[in-house]
Amino acid sequence: MTDPHAIQPSALDQLPDRDPEETAEWQASLDAVAQAAGPHRAAYLMRRTLERAEGNGIALPKLLETDYVNTIPTAAEPATPGDEAMEARITAWNRWNAAAMVTRGAKHGVGGHIATFASAAWLYETGFNHFFRGKEADGSGDQLYIQGHASPGIYARAFLDGRLNEGHLDNFRQEAGGNGLPSYPHPRRLPWLWEFPTVSMGLGPLSAIYQARFNRYLTNRGIKDVSASHVWAFLGDGEMDEPESTAALALAAREELDNLTFVINCNLQRLDGPVRANFKIVQELEAQFRGAGWNVVKTLWGSAWDELFRLDTTGALVRRLRQVPDAQVQTYQTRDAAYIRQDFFGADPALVEMAKLLSDDKILECFHLSRGGHEARKVYAAYKAAVEHKGAPTVILAQTVKGHTLGEGFASKNANHQMKKLSVDEFKAMRDLLELPISDSRFVDGVVPYGHPGTDSPEVRYLQERRAALGGPAPARRTHALAPLPAPAEKAFAAFDKGSGSQNVATTMAFVRLVKDLVRDKETGRRWVPIVPDEARTFGMESLFPSLGIYSPKGQTYEPVDRDQLMYYKEAKNGQILNEGITEAGSMADFIAASTAYATHGEAMIPFYIFYSMFGWQRTADQMWQLGDQLGRGFLVGATAGRTTLTGEGLQHADGHSPVIAATNPAALTYDPAFAYEIGVIVKDGLRRMYGEAAPGEDPNVFYYLTVYNEPVPQPAKPAVPGIDEGIVKGLYRFNTAESADLSPAANAPRIQLLGSGTAIHWTLKAQRMLAEEWGVAADVWSATSWTELRRDALEADAALLRGEERLPYVRQALQGAEGPVLAVSDYMRQVPDQIAQWVEQDYSSLGADGFGLSDTRDAARRHFGVDAESIVVAALAQLARRGEVRATAVKEARERYGL
C-alpha cells in the first residue's frame, strides 16, 4: 500500500540528472545525518529546507502536514491588548449563564447543549473582544457563522450586555409564547440577533465561503464596497465530515478569499464519540486545507506545555504527540498522572527521563486543562495571523476539551453532547472554579440562579466599550429601511401578451427573454444576479455572456476560443453572471448570499437561479430551507420541468415531484405557469412583493419557485378575461370555455371542467377539442398556475373559520357555478393537483405522472403515464359516465379507439 505521506513521483523524475555527482553528495549528507542523529533529525532538516525553498520562491510541492504543535510558537505570540483578567471574568459569567439556561430548560424537557460552548468559549470571547466588527463599522461589518450548538453561550453574552433579560433565557427553546429564544441561530425566529442559520451541519461552511465570495462580487461590481468585511465561520471538527463542509475549499483558495476565516473547534469529539478515534483529525484537516491552498494555523497546546517542549531536546515529545490517536488523548483527559506517566511517557526512554522532572500536578495541568483553544493569548495570536494573512483564506485548528470547566462528569466524556444539565453540587464546583460571587443561598429549591455582575459593573462596561470600539453589538442582523425598488417598465412584462403567433417558444426561453429585458432596466437592471450551474447554454442564456459578463475576480486572462462569435464566452471582474460550474450546492449558496444582501449589506439584489428542476429541490432542498430560514428573496427557476418534457435524458432528469417538495416549505411560492404571459405576471408581482410595495399582510420575506418547460409550442395571446392577473397570482383562472374556443357545443351537451398546469395545459386543450368534436362534450379549460398557493389560501380560510370568520377559499370562489365535474391534469405526481381536492365542491378526479420516468419521445412518455390528450378524454368520459351524463359504453369505445 502506498504511504500517503510519502513524496510522490513528479515530472522532475522524468528529467535527466545534469550532475549525478552533486545529487549523490546531497543524498550522502542526508544519510549521514540519519545515521548520526537519527531519522527524525533528518526529517526535521528536510522540512526546514523545504520551508526555506518555499520562502525563496522555489517551486516545490507543499508540505501538507506539520508537527502536532502550535503553528505560532510562544516566543512569537503578540501581546494581547486589553485586560485579560477582565475578559476572563466576562467569560466566566458567560460560561455560567449558558450552563444555567440549558439546565433550567431541562426541567421543561426542551433540551439544549452545554458542552460545545464550554469548549469554545475563548474562541468566541476573543473574537467579540478584539476582532468581530459590528454593523456600525466600515462597510457592513463582519459576518459571523456561529456554530449552532454554541448558541447558549451567545445568548449568555447578549444577556450580560443587556440585549436579553432573564425572561428571555428562561424561554430558551420555548418560543410559542412569543418571547422565546430559538434553539439555534435562526433569523426567522430572532431576526434582530441572528444573521445566518447554521445548525443543518455542513451548510455553514459552504455558505460562509460563498458569502465571502459574494462580498467580493458586490465590491468588484461597484454595488457596495464591502472589502473591509470579514467572514468568520465557527465549525466543529465532527461537522467537517459533512461533504458540504469541504465542497468549496478549492474555490476559496482559487479566488484568494483572504476575507474568510474558518475556526474549527477541534475538541476531538462528535455527537457519539471521538471524531477520529484511531487517527488524528487535526492532521487530517491540516492536510486537506493545505492541499486545497488554504493558510493553516494550528493552536493546539496551552502555555503549560511550554516547559515540556523546552525539555524535549531529542524531539521525542513531538514524535509521541503525533503517534497518539485522538481517542487516547481523550482518555488522558480522564485519567490520573500515574496512567499518563505509564502510557504516554513510558513509550520512549527519553520521555521516561523527561517525566521524572515533572510533578503529577504539572502532568495533569497539561493533559487535563492546557489546550490552545482555552487561552486568550494563543487564540488572539491565531486570529491576528488570520486577518493579516493575504492571498488565501485561513483555517484555524484550535484544540479544546469538550465540556471544559463543567467538571469531571462532562469533560471529554463520550456522552456529553446528550447531557443536558448539571446538578446543584456540580454548579457549585463550577462556581468555585470560575471564582464567581454566587452564594449558596441563591440556589432556591434546587434551581440554579442566573449570574450578572450588574448593569454598571466593570465587566459590563468593559464588554460594551469593546463592542462600541468594534462597531456595535455582535452578532446582530439589521433590517435596513430600504426604499422600494422602482418597478421595471411595463413593456418587459407585456412582451408576451400578444402571444408568439406561429413561432414555437418554450417557457424556459420565455423566462430567459424576460430577464434579458429586465437586466437592461436603467433603475434595477444592475441588481439582477443571474446564477447558473454550468448549464447556461442549455437554457439559452449564452446571449447574456458578452453583454453581462461572467464574474471572475481575475477577469479574462486568456483569449476565448469563440472571441470572433457574437455570443462569445466573456469573463470580467465586474461580470454580472455567476456561472458556478457543476455545483448545485454552490449555486444555491450564491443565491442565499445574494437573496439576503438587503439585510447583510443593505443592498437589495434580485437573484434568479435557473437549474434542471430535477436537481434543485431533490438535491439541495436543505439549502432551500436555509434560504427560507435566512429570509431570502429571489426567483428559483426549475427549468426543463415535468415528468415528460425531457424524456430523452431519461429517468434521472424526469421531474415529477419538485412541486411536492417545494410545497413543504412555507417560504416558497410555487408556480407552474402554462404560458409565457403568465410568467410575466408572476415575476412582476414577485418583484412588487419582495422588492417594492408589499400589500398589507403580505410577507416580503419569501422566494418564488417557477417551473418552466423546454418544449417549444405556440404561445397564445393573453385572454381578455376580467381579473386574469389576480387569478394568475392566486393560482387559477378560466382560460377559455367551449364556446369561446369556437367548439359550438350543443345546448344540452354534457360539460366538464378541465384544470391543467404547466406543459399539461397543451394536452388539455387538445383533449378539449377532441371531446367536443368526437364525443359531443363541452369542456372548459382552466390554467392552474399554482396548486400550492390555492391550497395555502384554502388552509387560511379554514383557520379563519375556526376563529369565527366566514371566508370562502379562492379555489371554491373561482369554480363556483362551474358546471359538471372537475378533472385536474398535471405533468407531476397526482398529489400535486390533489392538494386542492377537498375544497372543490364538484366531483373531482386527477391525472398525473406517478412513478419513475423513462427515456422515450414525449408522446410515448405521456401515453405511458396516461396523461396525454387521449387519456384525458377517456378519464373525462369516465367521470361523466359515472354521473349518467354520457353512455357507459363510450368509455370502452374511446379506450379502443385510442389504443389505451
Side-chain angles (χ1 to χ4, degrees):
M1 183 178 177
T2 302
D3 181 356
H5 303 299
I7 297 176
Q8 303 299 310
S10 70
L12 293 176
D13 298 323
Q14 312 303 317
L15 300 176
D17 191 341
R18 294 186 300 176
D19 193 340
E21 184 176 348
E22 182 183 38
T23 303
E25 290 175 356
W26 276 77
Q27 292 172 337
S29 297
L30 184 63
D31 292 342
V33 171
Q35 292 170 6
H40 300 292
R41 176 61 180 169
Y44 176 84
L45 291 176
M46 287 299 299
R47 285 197 295 271
R48 298 292 86 79
T49 301
L50 287 171
E51 289 173 359
R52 176 58 63 87
E54 183 178 351
N56 289 337
I58 300 172
L60 287 172
K62 292 183 180 294
L63 288 170
L64 295 186
E65 288 187 31
T66 60
D67 286 327
Y68 201 67
V69 297
N70 294 348
T71 302
I72 304 171
T74 300
E77 291 171 0
T80 306
D83 186 334
E84 290 189 41
M86 180 67 72
E87 292 174 17
R89 292 203 298 275
I90 291 171
T91 305
W93 284 115
N94 292 339
R95 287 181 182 279
W96 177 272
N97 288 320
M101 179 194 326
V102 176
T103 297
R104 289 166 69 121
K107 292 182 179 295
H108 304 287
V110 295
H113 300 289
I114 302 177
T116 295
F117 178 73
S119 68
W122 276 112
L123 302 180
Y124 290 106
E125 290 300 323
T126 303
F128 284 129
N129 288 326
H130 302 289
F131 290 94
F132 304 157
R133 291 155 19 90
K135 296 300 181 183
E136 281 74 48
D138 293 341
S140 305
D142 290 352
Q143 287 85 56
L144 308 180
Y145 288 77
I146 304 295
Q147 191 178 3
H149 293 143
S151 63
I154 308 305
Y155 292 140
R157 195 172 214 275
F159 169 65
L160 203 64
D161 74 6
R163 293 198 291 164
L164 294 175
N165 57 41
E166 288 192 12
H168 290 113
L169 300 192
D170 265 346
N171 282 308
F172 175 59
R173 293 193 168 199
Q174 298 171 77
E175 300 176 75
N179 193 35
L181 301 179
S183 310
Y184 305 119
H186 207 306
R188 188 168 286 277
R189 291 299 181 211
L190 202 62
W192 59 268
L193 181 74
W194 298 120
E195 279 194 286
F196 307 108
T198 55
V199 87
S200 188
M201 291 192 182
L203 299 190
L206 179 67
S207 294
I209 289 173
Y210 280 89
Q211 182 65 57
R213 196 281 196 95
F214 190 74
N215 290 356
R216 292 279 173 85
Y217 172 89
L218 285 179
T219 301
N220 288 339
R221 285 198 55 217
I223 302 291
K224 182 178 182 180
D225 184 359
V226 294
S227 55
S229 291
H230 200 90
V231 177
W232 299 81
F234 288 83
L235 317 168
D237 47 0
E239 180 179 5
M240 300 311 294
D241 283 345
E242 290 283 6
E244 295 90 349
S245 294
T246 55
L249 297 186
L251 167 71
R254 183 169 65 246
E255 299 202 2
E256 300 178 355
L257 298 180
D258 49 23
N259 61 338
L260 170 67
T261 297
F262 276 15
V263 181
I264 303 181
N265 178 16
C266 297
N267 57 35
L268 313 185
Q269 289 183 248
R270 54 189 180 199
L271 307 189
D272 288 332
V275 179
R276 292 290 183 273
N278 295 298
F279 306 94
K280 302 192 80 63
I281 185 61
V282 168
Q283 299 300 91
E284 179 182 320
L285 291 173
E286 178 184 27
Q288 191 170 16
F289 278 86
R290 283 192 191 278
W294 286 55
N295 175 46
V296 179
V297 177
K298 294 197 292 191
T299 303
L300 307 180
W301 307 111
S303 56
W305 284 82
D306 290 348
E307 179 183 346
L308 276 67
F309 288 123
R310 283 195 298 270
L311 294 173
D312 184 29
T313 58
T314 65
L317 177 62
V318 173
R319 291 196 301 274
R320 183 65 179 140
L321 288 173
R322 183 160 183 155
Q323 293 168 355
V324 177
D326 284 352
Q328 191 63 22
V329 173
Q330 183 182 350
T331 297
Y332 293 148
Q333 175 70 33
T334 64
R335 297 302 182 91
D336 59 20
Y339 178 89
I340 298 171
R341 285 182 187 277
Q342 179 181 349
D343 191 87
F344 182 84
F345 292 98
D348 188 295
L351 294 180
V352 171
E353 294 303 312
M354 179 190 293
K356 292 177 181 179
L357 304 174
L358 303 174
S359 67
D360 286 356
D361 287 345
K362 182 65 177 182
I363 289 175
L364 293 179
E365 180 186 13
C366 289
F367 285 84
H368 284 193
L369 302 174
S370 187
R371 299 292 187 273
H374 295 323
E375 295 191 13
R377 178 168 180 167
K378 296 195 179 294
V379 175
Y380 179 87
Y383 286 7
K384 189 171 188 292
V387 297
E388 292 178 353
H389 185 82
K390 301 302 177 186
T394 293
V395 60
I396 295 168
L397 304 175
Q399 187 163 269
T400 66
V401 175
K402 193 167 186 178
H404 183 60
T405 73
L406 296 180
E408 294 181 0
F410 265 83
S412 284
K413 295 298 175 65
N414 281 338
N416 61 19
H417 187 78
Q418 302 302 326
M419 297 162 68
K420 311 300 183 186
K421 59 184 178 180
L422 296 173
S423 68
V424 169
D425 288 342
E426 287 172 324
F427 264 109
K428 290 179 179 178
M430 181 183 177
R431 171 201 61 191
D432 296 341
L433 175 66
L434 298 176
E435 299 180 347
L436 292 173
I438 300 174
S439 66
D440 288 353
S441 63
R442 295 193 58 199
F443 291 82
V444 179
D445 296 328
V447 177
V448 58
Y450 295 119
H452 199 291
T455 56
D456 195 39
S457 64
E459 291 92 338
V460 172
R461 288 201 305 271
Y462 181 90
L463 182 156
Q464 293 175 341
E465 287 168 2
R466 291 306 308 141
R467 289 312 313 158
L470 288 166
R477 181 180 182 271
R478 290 288 183 266
T479 303
H480 300 269
L482 300 179
L485 293 183
E490 183 65 28
K491 180 180 179 182
F493 301 110
F496 298 106
D497 285 359
K498 294 181 180 180
S500 64
S502 60
Q503 182 183 6
N504 290 332
V505 177
T507 54
T508 300
M509 302 309 302
F511 179 84
V512 171
R513 177 178 165 184
L514 174 62
V515 169
K516 287 179 184 177
D517 291 339
L518 293 175
V519 296
R520 295 191 187 103
D521 185 82
K522 292 182 180 179
E523 295 289 337
T524 60
R526 71 191 190 108
R527 296 191 175 274
W528 283 85
V529 184
I531 303 167
V532 61
D534 200 36
E535 289 282 2
R537 297 182 192 278
T538 299
F539 307 133
M541 291 174 59
E542 64 268 30
S543 62
L544 298 177
F545 289 170
S547 58
L548 301 184
I550 299 166
Y551 173 73
S552 170
K554 298 288 186 182
Q556 194 150 38
T557 60
Y558 60 91
E559 183 177 357
V561 66
D562 53 1
R563 182 65 179 85
D564 57 344
Q565 297 179 15
L566 180 63
M567 293 184 286
Y568 70 98
Y569 195 82
K570 177 187 175 183
E571 296 188 81
K573 288 183 178 180
N574 63 346
Q576 194 164 349
I577 301 170
L578 293 172
N579 191 311
E580 291 303 359
I582 305 175
T583 169
E584 285 84 4
S587 299
M588 269 305 303
D590 266 336
F591 188 92
I592 292 169
S595 70
T596 54
Y598 73 92
T600 309
H601 296 298
E603 294 288 343
M605 305 299 289
I606 312 171
F608 82 87
Y609 165 36
I610 188 168
F611 51 90
Y612 271 119
S613 64
M614 182 68 167
F615 304 135
W617 285 92
Q618 174 169 299
R619 179 169 289 183
T620 55
D622 197 13
Q623 289 177 282
M624 291 164 180
W625 275 100
Q626 181 189 15
L627 167 64
D629 292 345
Q630 202 167 315
L631 309 179
R633 306 169 182 174
F635 297 95
L636 296 176
V637 183
T640 65
R643 185 79 84 191
T644 69
T645 64
L646 196 66
T647 51
E649 295 285 348
L651 157 61
Q652 294 88 349
H653 289 67
D655 170 25
H657 54 276
S658 70
V660 177
I661 307 174
T664 65
N665 191 312
L669 276 60
T670 303
Y671 287 90
D672 185 29
F675 305 121
Y677 67 78
E678 294 176 354
I679 292 175
V681 172
I682 294 166
V683 172
K684 178 183 177 182
D685 192 69
L687 290 173
R688 175 200 60 79
R689 176 170 178 171
M690 295 185 290
Y691 300 96
E693 297 282 1
E698 276 187 329
D699 182 4
N701 298 315
V702 295
F703 60 94
Y704 283 65
Y705 175 54
L706 278 69
T707 50
V708 291
Y709 53 84
N710 72 317
E711 184 173 3
V713 291
Q715 294 292 332
K718 185 177 181 180
V721 176
I724 185 172
D725 285 8
E726 179 188 19
I728 291 171
V729 171
K730 288 190 171 182
L732 183 69
Y733 69 96
R734 181 154 41 196
F735 174 73
N736 70 15
T737 62
E739 290 76 12
S740 66
D742 296 326
L743 297 177
S744 304
N748 60 347
R751 186 174 290 270
I752 190 169
Q753 307 299 317
L754 301 179
L755 279 57
S757 67
T759 190
I761 200 77
H762 300 288
W763 334 319
T764 306
L765 288 167
K766 181 180 177 182
Q768 178 191 38
R769 185 164 295 278
M770 292 171 65
L771 283 166
E773 295 175 352
E774 300 179 30
W775 304 97
V777 172
D780 300 338
V781 174
W782 300 69
S783 178
T785 54
S786 179
W787 308 100
T788 302
E789 287 305 295
L790 291 173
R791 175 179 175 80
R792 287 177 177 169
D793 171 79
L795 290 172
E796 290 174 6
D798 286 355
L801 188 62
L802 291 176
R803 297 191 300 267
E805 304 169 17
E806 290 289 339
R807 183 165 79 79
L808 277 181
Y810 173 78
V811 64
R812 185 167 293 177
Q813 295 178 46
L815 291 171
Q816 200 165 42
E819 183 182 347
V822 170
L823 175 61
V825 186
S826 167
D827 200 23
Y828 298 95
M829 303 168 67
R830 285 179 60 180
Q831 69 190 84
V832 175
D834 284 352
Q835 291 181 87
I836 67 169
Q838 73 185 81
W839 293 281
V840 176
E841 290 182 311
Q842 295 88 343
D843 292 339
Y844 183 91
S845 65
S846 63
L847 295 176
D850 286 75
F852 288 109
L854 76 168
S855 295
D856 212 310
T857 64
R858 293 186 178 111
D859 289 341
R862 286 161 188 166
R863 174 57 58 89
H864 170 80
F865 287 111
V867 293
D868 59 354
E870 291 79 3
S871 299
I872 296 172
V873 170
V874 172
L877 292 174
Q879 269 190 290
L880 292 168
R882 284 194 294 272
R883 295 162 58 94
E885 296 180 20
V886 300
R887 65 187 191 280
T889 57
V891 181
K892 180 181 179 182
E893 181 183 341
R895 283 201 302 266
E896 292 174 350
R897 180 184 301 183
Y898 303 136
L900 297 180

